[in-house]
Coordinates of all heavy atoms in Angstrom, one line a residue:
L256 N 8.8 49.5 -56.4 CA 7.5 48.9 -56.7 C 7.0 49.4 -58.0 O 6.9 50.6 -58.3 CB 6.5 49.3 -55.6 CG 5.0 48.9 -55.8 CD1 4.8 47.4 -55.8 CD2 4.1 49.5 -54.8
L257 N 6.6 48.4 -58.9 CA 5.9 48.7 -60.1 C 4.5 48.1 -59.9 O 4.3 46.9 -59.9 CB 6.6 48.0 -61.3 CG 5.9 48.2 -62.7 CD1 5.7 49.6 -63.0 CD2 6.7 47.4 -63.8
L258 N 3.5 49.0 -59.8 CA 2.2 48.6 -59.6 C 1.3 48.8 -60.8 O 1.2 49.9 -61.3 CB 1.6 49.4 -58.4 CG 0.1 49.1 -58.1 CD1 -0.1 47.7 -57.5 CD2 -0.4 50.1 -57.1
V259 N 0.7 47.7 -61.3 CA -0.2 47.8 -62.5 C -1.6 47.8 -61.9 O -2.0 46.9 -61.1 CB 0.0 46.5 -63.4 CG1 -1.1 46.5 -64.5 CG2 1.4 46.5 -64.0
T260 N -2.4 48.7 -62.3 CA -3.8 48.8 -61.8 C -4.6 49.6 -62.8 O -4.1 50.4 -63.6 CB -3.8 49.5 -60.4 OG1 -5.2 49.5 -60.0 CG2 -3.3 50.9 -60.5
H261 N -5.9 49.3 -62.8 CA -6.9 50.1 -63.5 C -7.6 51.0 -62.6 O -8.5 51.8 -63.0 CB -7.9 49.2 -64.3 CG -8.8 48.4 -63.3 ND1 -8.4 47.2 -62.9 CD2 -9.9 48.7 -62.7 CE1 -9.3 46.7 -62.1 NE2 -10.3 47.6 -61.9
S262 N -7.3 50.9 -61.3 CA -8.0 51.7 -60.2 C -7.1 53.0 -59.9 O -6.0 52.9 -59.4 CB -8.2 50.9 -59.0 OG -8.6 51.7 -57.9
L263 N -7.7 54.2 -60.3 CA -7.0 55.4 -60.0 C -6.8 55.7 -58.5 O -5.8 56.1 -58.0 CB -7.6 56.6 -60.7 CG -7.1 56.8 -62.2 CD1 -7.5 55.6 -63.1 CD2 -7.6 58.1 -62.7
P264 N -7.9 55.4 -57.7 CA -7.7 55.6 -56.2 C -6.6 54.7 -55.7 O -5.8 55.1 -54.8 CB -9.0 55.2 -55.7 CG -10.0 55.5 -56.7 CD -9.3 55.1 -58.0
V265 N -6.4 53.5 -56.2 CA -5.3 52.6 -55.7 C -4.0 53.2 -56.1 O -3.0 53.3 -55.3 CB -5.4 51.2 -56.3 CG1 -4.2 50.4 -56.1 CG2 -6.6 50.5 -55.6
A266 N -3.9 53.7 -57.4 CA -2.6 54.4 -57.8 C -2.3 55.6 -57.0 O -1.2 55.8 -56.6 CB -2.8 54.8 -59.3
A267 N -3.4 56.4 -56.6 CA -3.2 57.6 -55.8 C -2.6 57.2 -54.4 O -1.8 57.9 -53.8 CB -4.5 58.3 -55.7
L268 N -3.1 56.1 -53.9 CA -2.7 55.7 -52.5 C -1.3 55.1 -52.5 O -0.5 55.3 -51.6 CB -3.7 54.6 -52.0 CG -3.4 53.9 -50.7 CD1 -3.6 54.9 -49.5 CD2 -4.2 52.7 -50.5
M269 N -0.9 54.4 -53.5 CA 0.3 53.5 -53.5 C 1.5 54.0 -54.2 O 2.6 53.6 -54.0 CB -0.1 52.1 -54.1 CG -1.2 51.4 -53.3 SD -0.6 50.9 -51.7 CE 0.6 49.7 -52.1
T270 N 1.3 55.0 -55.1 CA 2.5 55.4 -56.0 C 2.8 56.9 -55.9 O 1.9 57.7 -55.6 CB 2.2 55.0 -57.4 OG1 1.2 55.8 -58.0 CG2 1.8 53.5 -57.6
D271 N 4.0 57.2 -56.2 CA 4.4 58.6 -56.3 C 4.7 59.1 -57.8 O 4.7 60.3 -58.0 CB 5.6 58.9 -55.4 CG 6.6 57.8 -55.3 OD1 7.1 57.3 -56.3 OD2 6.7 57.3 -54.2
Q272 N 4.8 58.1 -58.7 CA 5.0 58.4 -60.1 C 4.0 57.6 -60.9 O 3.6 56.5 -60.5 CB 6.4 58.1 -60.6 CG 7.5 59.1 -60.1 CD 7.3 60.4 -60.7 OE1 7.2 60.5 -61.9 NE2 7.4 61.5 -59.9
L273 N 3.5 58.1 -62.0 CA 2.5 57.5 -62.8 C 2.9 57.4 -64.3 O 3.4 58.4 -64.8 CB 1.2 58.2 -62.6 CG -0.1 57.4 -62.8 CD1 -0.2 56.3 -61.8 CD2 -1.3 58.4 -62.7
R274 N 2.6 56.3 -65.0 CA 2.7 56.2 -66.4 C 1.3 55.7 -66.9 O 0.8 54.7 -66.4 CB 3.8 55.3 -66.8 CG 5.2 55.7 -66.3 CD 5.6 57.1 -66.9 NE 6.9 57.5 -66.4 CZ 7.2 58.2 -65.3 NH1 6.2 58.7 -64.6 NH2 8.4 58.6 -65.0
V275 N 0.7 56.5 -67.8 CA -0.6 56.1 -68.4 C -0.4 55.5 -69.7 O 0.2 56.0 -70.6 CB -1.5 57.4 -68.5 CG1 -2.9 57.0 -68.9 CG2 -1.6 58.1 -67.1
M276 N -1.1 54.3 -69.9 CA -1.0 53.6 -71.2 C -2.3 53.5 -71.8 O -3.4 53.3 -71.2 CB -0.4 52.2 -70.9 CG 1.0 52.2 -70.5 SD 1.8 50.5 -70.5 CE 1.8 50.1 -72.3
Y277 N -2.3 53.5 -73.1 CA -3.5 53.4 -73.9 C -3.2 52.7 -75.3 O -2.3 53.2 -76.0 CB -4.2 54.8 -74.2 CG -5.5 54.6 -75.0 CD1 -6.7 54.2 -74.4 CD2 -5.5 54.9 -76.3 CE1 -7.9 54.1 -75.1 CE2 -6.7 54.8 -77.1 CZ -7.9 54.4 -76.4 OH -9.0 54.2 -77.2
A278 N -3.9 51.7 -75.6 CA -3.8 51.0 -76.9 C -2.3 50.6 -77.2 O -1.9 50.8 -78.3 CB -4.4 51.8 -78.0
G279 N -1.6 50.2 -76.2 CA -0.2 49.7 -76.4 C 0.8 50.8 -76.3 O 2.0 50.6 -76.5
E280 N 0.4 52.1 -76.1 CA 1.4 53.2 -76.0 C 1.3 53.9 -74.7 O 0.3 53.9 -74.0 CB 1.1 54.2 -77.1 CG 1.3 53.7 -78.5 CD 1.1 54.8 -79.6 OE1 0.9 56.0 -79.2 OE2 1.1 54.5 -80.8
M281 N 2.4 54.5 -74.3 CA 2.4 55.4 -73.1 C 2.0 56.8 -73.6 O 2.5 57.3 -74.6 CB 3.8 55.4 -72.5 CG 3.8 55.9 -71.1 SD 5.3 55.4 -70.3 CE 5.0 53.7 -70.0
V282 N 1.0 57.4 -72.9 CA 0.5 58.7 -73.3 C 0.7 59.8 -72.3 O 0.6 61.0 -72.7 CB -1.0 58.6 -73.6 CG1 -1.3 57.7 -74.8 CG2 -1.9 58.2 -72.4
E283 N 1.0 59.5 -71.0 CA 1.3 60.5 -70.1 C 2.3 60.0 -69.0 O 2.2 58.8 -68.7 CB 0.0 61.1 -69.4 CG 0.3 62.2 -68.4 CD -0.9 63.1 -68.2 OE1 -2.0 62.8 -68.7 OE2 -0.7 64.1 -67.4
A284 N 3.1 60.9 -68.5 CA 4.1 60.5 -67.5 C 4.3 61.7 -66.5 O 4.3 62.8 -67.0 CB 5.5 60.2 -68.1
G285 N 4.3 61.4 -65.2 CA 4.6 62.4 -64.3 C 4.3 62.0 -62.9 O 4.1 60.8 -62.6
G286 N 4.2 63.0 -61.9 CA 3.9 62.7 -60.6 C 2.4 62.3 -60.4 O 1.5 62.8 -61.1
T287 N 2.2 61.3 -59.6 CA 0.8 60.7 -59.5 C -0.2 61.7 -59.1 O -1.3 61.9 -59.7 CB 0.8 59.6 -58.5 OG1 1.7 58.5 -58.9 CG2 -0.6 59.0 -58.3
A288 N 0.0 62.5 -58.0 CA -1.0 63.4 -57.5 C -1.4 64.4 -58.6 O -2.6 64.7 -58.8 CB -0.4 64.2 -56.3
D289 N -0.4 65.0 -59.3 CA -0.8 66.0 -60.3 C -1.3 65.4 -61.6 O -2.1 66.1 -62.3 CB 0.4 67.0 -60.6 CG 0.5 68.1 -59.5 OD1 -0.4 68.2 -58.7 OD2 1.5 68.9 -59.6
C290 N -0.8 64.3 -62.0 CA -1.4 63.6 -63.1 C -2.9 63.4 -63.0 O -3.7 63.5 -63.9 CB -0.7 62.2 -63.4 SG 0.8 62.3 -64.4
L291 N -3.3 63.0 -61.7 CA -4.7 62.8 -61.5 C -5.5 64.0 -61.2 O -6.7 64.1 -61.6 CB -4.8 61.8 -60.4 CG -4.2 60.4 -60.6 CD1 -4.4 59.5 -59.4 CD2 -4.7 59.7 -61.9
A292 N -4.9 65.0 -60.6 CA -5.6 66.2 -60.2 C -5.7 67.2 -61.4 O -6.7 67.9 -61.6 CB -4.9 66.9 -59.1
A293 N -4.7 67.3 -62.2 CA -4.6 68.2 -63.4 C -4.0 67.4 -64.6 O -2.9 67.7 -64.9 CB -3.9 69.4 -63.1
P294 N -4.7 66.5 -65.2 CA -4.1 65.7 -66.2 C -3.7 66.5 -67.5 O -4.4 67.5 -67.8 CB -5.3 64.7 -66.6 CG -6.3 64.8 -65.5 CD -6.1 66.2 -64.9
G295 N -2.6 66.1 -68.1 CA -2.2 66.7 -69.3 C -2.8 66.1 -70.6 O -2.9 66.7 -71.6
H296 N -3.1 64.8 -70.5 CA -3.7 64.0 -71.6 C -5.2 63.9 -71.4 O -5.6 63.5 -70.3 CB -3.0 62.7 -71.8 CG -3.2 62.1 -73.1 ND1 -4.3 61.4 -73.5 CD2 -2.4 62.0 -74.2 CE1 -4.2 61.0 -74.7 NE2 -3.1 61.3 -75.2
P297 N -6.0 64.0 -72.5 CA -7.4 63.9 -72.4 C -7.8 62.5 -71.9 O -8.9 62.3 -71.3 CB -7.9 64.1 -73.8 CG -6.9 65.0 -74.4 CD -5.6 64.6 -73.8
Y298 N -7.0 61.4 -72.2 CA -7.3 60.1 -71.7 C -7.2 60.0 -70.2 O -8.1 59.5 -69.5 CB -6.4 59.1 -72.4 CG -6.7 57.6 -71.9 CD1 -8.0 57.1 -72.0 CD2 -5.7 56.9 -71.3 CE1 -8.2 55.8 -71.6 CE2 -5.9 55.6 -70.9 CZ -7.2 55.0 -71.0 OH -7.4 53.8 -70.6
T299 N -6.1 60.6 -69.6 CA -6.0 60.6 -68.2 C -7.1 61.4 -67.6 O -7.6 61.0 -66.5 CB -4.6 61.2 -67.8 OG1 -3.6 60.6 -68.6 CG2 -4.3 61.0 -66.4
E300 N -7.5 62.5 -68.2 CA -8.6 63.3 -67.7 C -9.9 62.5 -67.7 O -10.6 62.6 -66.7 CB -8.7 64.6 -68.6 CG -9.9 65.5 -68.3 CD -10.1 66.5 -69.4 OE1 -9.1 67.0 -69.9 OE2 -11.2 66.9 -69.6
A301 N -10.1 61.8 -68.7 CA -11.4 61.0 -68.8 C -11.4 59.9 -67.7 O -12.4 59.6 -67.1 CB -11.5 60.4 -70.2
L302 N -10.2 59.2 -67.5 CA -10.1 58.2 -66.5 C -10.4 58.8 -65.1 O -11.1 58.3 -64.3 CB -8.7 57.6 -66.5 CG -8.4 56.6 -67.6 CD1 -6.9 56.2 -67.5 CD2 -9.3 55.4 -67.7
A303 N -9.8 60.0 -64.8 CA -9.9 60.6 -63.5 C -11.4 61.1 -63.3 O -11.9 60.9 -62.2 CB -9.0 61.8 -63.4
E304 N -12.0 61.6 -64.3 CA -13.4 62.0 -64.2 C -14.3 60.8 -64.0 O -15.3 60.9 -63.2 CB -13.9 62.8 -65.4 CG -15.3 63.3 -65.3 CD -15.5 64.2 -64.1 OE1 -14.6 64.9 -63.6 OE2 -16.7 64.2 -63.6
S305 N -14.0 59.7 -64.6 CA -14.8 58.5 -64.4 C -14.7 58.0 -63.0 O -15.7 57.6 -62.3 CB -14.4 57.4 -65.4 OG -14.6 57.7 -66.7
A306 N -13.5 58.0 -62.5 CA -13.2 57.6 -61.1 C -13.9 58.5 -60.1 O -14.5 58.0 -59.1 CB -11.7 57.5 -60.8
R307 N -13.9 59.8 -60.3 CA -14.5 60.7 -59.4 C -16.0 60.5 -59.4 O -16.7 60.7 -58.4 CB -14.1 62.1 -59.7 CG -12.7 62.5 -59.4 CD -12.4 64.0 -59.4 NE -11.0 64.2 -59.2 CZ -10.1 64.4 -60.1 NH1 -10.4 64.4 -61.4 NH2 -8.8 64.5 -59.8
S308 N -16.6 60.2 -60.6 CA -18.0 60.0 -60.7 C -18.5 58.8 -59.8 O -19.6 58.8 -59.3 CB -18.5 59.8 -62.1 OG -18.2 58.5 -62.6
V309 N -17.6 57.8 -59.7 CA -17.9 56.7 -58.9 C -17.9 57.1 -57.4 O -18.7 56.7 -56.6 CB -16.9 55.5 -59.1 CG1 -17.1 54.4 -58.1 CG2 -17.0 55.0 -60.5

Side-chain angles (χ1 to χ4, degrees):
L256 172 66
L257 175 59
L258 177 67
V259 174
T260 182
H261 64 271
S262 170
L263 273 66
V265 168
L268 175 71
M269 298 293 293
T270 69
D271 31 62
Q272 288 290 314
L273 205 64
R274 302 296 181 266
V275 183
M276 293 189 67
Y277 181 79
E280 294 186 5
M281 199 162 282
V282 297
E283 183 158 3
T287 299
D289 275 356
C290 271
L291 299 181
H296 196 282
Y298 178 58
T299 313
E300 177 186 325
L302 289 176
E304 183 57 30
S305 295
R307 291 194 183 96
S308 76
V309 173

